[in-house]
Amino acid sequence: MEPPVRLASTGTIIHGVSVGEVLGVSTLAEARLIAGESGLGRIVQRLNVMEVPDILAWVKPHELLLTTGYPLRNTPQSLGRLVADLDERGLAALAIKLGRYVDELPAEMTEQADRLGFPLILLPNDVGFDDILNQVLTDILNRQAAVLARAEEAHRALVHVVLAGGGLNEVAAEVAQLLDVAVAAVDGSGRVLATAGAAEHVAALRESISREGPPPARSADTPGRGRAFASAPVLAGGHHHGRIVAYSATGAIRDSDIGILERAATVAALVVTRQEAVNAVESKYRADFLRDVLTGRAGTPERVDARARAFGWDLARPVTVLVAELDPDGDERSAQDRLVSCWTAAVRRHDPRGAVAGFSHEVVAVVDASLDAARVAKDAASAFADVPPATFSTGTSRPSPGAGTLPEAYAQAMKAARVGRQLHGPGAVAHFDQLGVYRLLSLVNDTGELHAFVRETLGPLAWDEDAENADLRRTLQVLLETNLNVAETARRLHFHYNTLRYRIGKLERLLGNFTDDPHLRLNLTLALHVLRMRGI
């Protein structure tokens, strides 16, 4: 059996009119709402006629269903369940003619319609379904045409902004004018990049963003009614770059406005992509120049100073070089760009004339020597902390009097970063002058020779397989640190004096008479320092 022919189909209508607006058309002037008044904001996008018993298999969301009650003439009890079934399928409303097949609607049906906010409309008997279909469908199509025309006009205006070289400020201003709302462009971390609209409304929008973050693009408001906030994601190159957020003090943002907001987000993505391309080129020039400076290939101090000023840098003053190097085992590809961004922001906050650039595996910053370098590194690390598990270690050079000595300072900072990681693990911050003997040990390129020295000097204490050996090595370390002060060593290790004397005797049987041999004590101290250096 072929399915019944549907009397009305509106194709891919995506906009519509509210049930309240449908009741305002001339053909329904005598129609009366008998239940479900709270659902007058439901959107009607299409119409259908129910004159077969199995209509539920054919209805679609946002339909206005017209009926004479003919399919239910023999089973009026089905009317009690009909409202819930139609509401569950997302229909907009039910319009019915009474008298010919169904004399009256049961109280259960109207009560359920009021509870669900599902409009029930009583149609006048002298109005034909074809008149209702023609007039309401015409209104829906006119509404869709108007919305599409408005969206196309908005799209042309927004594209013109980009073609004219405008940025996010201009995009926000255009959207604010088109929708009569306050607008903000927000990056992925919630930072407001651009705003437009009435000052008091922009202030309210900023407060909402800082308190709760950007709202979702489509909220759960009642269909057809406006909302106060809406947003659309800015996506470019497969990455989420933030959102375009709108705020209406009167709650007048509708679905059609969100369509324009989504077009604005697409245009904003073009702006972001264009700016990223420009920034990438500029970043490459800055990095190439700073690399030449740090390797001594940038030319005379005068030439270096002139080019540095063109980038907004001051390299002629006393400066300190910092090197931030990603620690192993992190996702280097995704973390490197973030590392550059965090360090750039930190340097700009502490020293606007400081130089900063990203190399292949590290970020290098050249800042005023009077600054607290550890504080700059802590600031960058705090911003970088939201991309775990990646971490970075930072090394700081001695003060450099000018551009001519920057290569030496760069080498010091690199050494401090790598030795600091070996000593303290990932995330270390080390100054070159604080490395002490570790700086000398790091100059030994033959790590095999260092391992051999540790084995020959510490013997069985060089390995941790035996817990007793590791404990004895700790005792030896504290003894050497206290210059063989037995009482102080016992206090630090919480040992009885006699217990420590016994341990010293055992250590001398394993290692030799170190209490009387200063050269042996030096070797033991160096071997323990080598063991402390990770990654050798």
Side-chain angles (χ1 to χ4, degrees):
M1 177 179 178
E2 294 184 1
V5 177
R6 295 193 58 191
L7 298 184
S9 175
T10 57
T12 56
I13 297 293
I14 59 174
H15 300 287
V17 295
S18 68
V19 175
E21 291 172 314
V22 169
L23 288 173
V25 302
S26 59
T27 55
L28 296 177
E30 302 299 323
R32 182 164 58 90
L33 180 73
I34 56 178
E37 183 178 2
S38 62
L40 288 177
R42 292 184 180 225
I43 295 299
V44 177
Q45 292 180 345
R46 50 180 67 86
L47 289 89
N48 200 353
V49 175
M50 182 180 77
E51 299 298 16
V52 292
D54 59 344
I55 188 66
L56 291 176
W58 304 98
V59 297
K60 292 184 178 180
H62 302 297
E63 277 187 342
L64 171 60
L65 190 59
L66 309 176
T67 185
T68 61
Y70 176 78
L72 306 171
R73 65 192 185 282
N74 296 322
T75 56
Q77 65 274 13
S78 301
L79 288 170
R81 299 192 304 271
L82 184 60
V83 168
D85 290 337
L86 296 179
D87 179 72
E88 183 180 352
R89 286 161 174 78
L91 268 73
L94 174 66
I96 187 169
K97 286 185 180 184
L98 295 178
R100 185 169 183 181
Y101 300 110
V102 177
D103 293 329
E104 62 180 2
L105 300 180
E108 178 188 355
M109 185 176 186
T110 56
E111 290 172 2
Q112 195 170 53
D114 281 328
R115 186 172 66 254
L116 297 174
F118 185 85
L120 289 180
I121 302 168
L122 180 60
L123 295 174
N125 287 321
D126 59 347
V127 176
F129 283 173
D130 57 339
D131 294 331
I132 298 174
L133 290 167
N134 288 335
Q135 191 165 16
V136 175
L137 282 174
T138 298
D139 284 358
I140 291 174
L141 292 172
N142 287 341
R143 174 69 59 86
Q144 169 135 326
V147 168
L148 294 177
R150 181 172 178 241
E152 185 62 28
E153 179 185 355
H155 183 72
R156 284 197 299 267
L158 290 166
V159 170
H160 178 73
V161 168
V162 177
L163 295 178
L168 291 177
N169 284 315
E170 288 74 20
V171 171
E174 191 67 38
V175 176
Q177 181 178 355
L178 287 167
L179 302 183
D180 192 22
V181 294
V183 178
V186 184
D187 68 11
S189 62
R191 184 166 57 98
V192 176
L193 304 176
T195 60
E200 63 273 19
H201 296 164
V202 169
L205 179 56
R206 282 181 175 273
E207 182 181 356
S208 174
I209 291 171
S210 63
R211 183 177 63 250
E212 303 173 1
R218 297 187 183 274
S219 64
D221 295 342
T222 302
R225 295 183 181 177
R227 66 207 68 180
F229 291 94
S231 72
V234 177
L235 303 173
H239 298 286
H240 190 289
H241 294 276
R243 290 181 178 272
I244 299 292
V245 190
Y247 165 66
S248 170
T250 59
I253 302 175
R254 297 184 177 272
D255 285 346
S256 59
D257 297 329
I258 293 179
I260 292 177
L261 204 63
E262 290 169 344
R263 289 175 181 252
T266 301
V267 173
L270 294 175
V271 172
V272 170
T273 303
R274 181 188 64 193
Q275 189 58 49
E276 283 186 342
V278 172
N279 291 342
V281 174
E282 292 181 349
S283 178
K284 182 179 185 305
Y285 280 126
R286 286 194 298 267
D288 288 347
F289 170 63
L290 187 58
R291 185 183 289 105
D292 287 343
V293 171
L294 297 176
T295 55
R297 300 197 304 266
T300 64
E302 293 77 14
R303 183 171 181 271
V304 169
D305 186 39
R307 288 196 63 187
R309 284 198 305 271
F311 288 120
W313 300 342
D314 183 0
L315 302 182
R317 56 182 174 164
V319 293
T320 300
V321 177
L322 295 93
V323 171
E325 190 175 52
L326 284 171
D327 295 319
D329 302 327
D331 186 352
E332 182 174 321
R333 184 174 182 180
S334 62
Q336 180 67 16
D337 290 343
R338 182 66 176 162
L339 182 66
V340 175
S341 175
C342 291
W343 269 92
T344 300
V347 170
R348 290 293 171 265
R349 283 191 291 271
H350 292 273
D351 183 7
R353 295 185 300 161
V356 59
F359 297 166
S360 57
H361 299 288
E362 76 259 4
V363 174
V364 180
V366 183
V367 299
D368 192 328
S370 63
L371 286 176
D372 183 351
R375 184 179 176 187
V376 179
K378 183 178 179 180
D379 192 358
S382 177
F384 191 71
D386 62 349
V387 286
T391 58
F392 64 87
S393 297
T394 306
T396 306
S397 74
R398 293 170 175 165
S400 171
T405 56
L406 282 178
E408 180 182 353
Y410 174 55
Q412 293 171 359
M414 286 286 293
K415 183 69 67 178
R418 292 173 183 177
V419 174
R421 182 190 296 114
Q422 290 175 332
L423 293 177
H424 308 297
V429 178
H431 192 286
F432 184 73
D433 283 339
Q434 297 172 345
L435 299 181
V437 69
Y438 297 106
R439 189 168 76 239
L440 298 177
L441 292 174
S442 68
L443 296 175
V444 180
N445 294 323
D446 189 348
T447 58
E449 189 63 34
L450 288 175
H451 284 296
F453 173 73
V454 170
R455 290 194 301 270
E456 293 166 4
T457 306
L458 295 179
L461 301 190
W463 293 275
D464 291 334
E465 286 81 359
D466 190 328
E468 183 183 4
N469 286 342
D471 195 30
L472 284 172
R473 190 171 69 232
R474 170 63 178 160
T475 301
L476 174 64
Q477 181 176 330
V478 178
L479 272 170
L480 295 173
E481 288 174 354
T482 61
N483 198 25
L484 302 183
N485 186 323
V486 178
E488 175 63 15
T489 300
R491 186 189 67 80
R492 287 195 192 181
L493 296 176
H494 307 289
F495 287 160
H496 187 275
Y497 183 86
N498 290 336
T499 301
L500 183 59
R501 297 298 307 178
Y502 168 77
R503 284 186 166 230
I504 292 174
K506 189 169 185 178
L507 284 169
E508 290 199 316
R509 288 193 297 273
L510 289 171
L511 306 174
N513 189 18
F514 63 88
T515 56
D516 294 325
D517 187 345
H519 294 292
L520 178 56
R521 288 200 298 275
L522 175 60
N523 287 343
L524 291 171
T525 301
L526 288 174
L528 290 173
H529 283 328
V530 172
L531 271 185
R532 191 182 173 196
M533 292 179 66
R534 308 176 187 209
I536 61 169

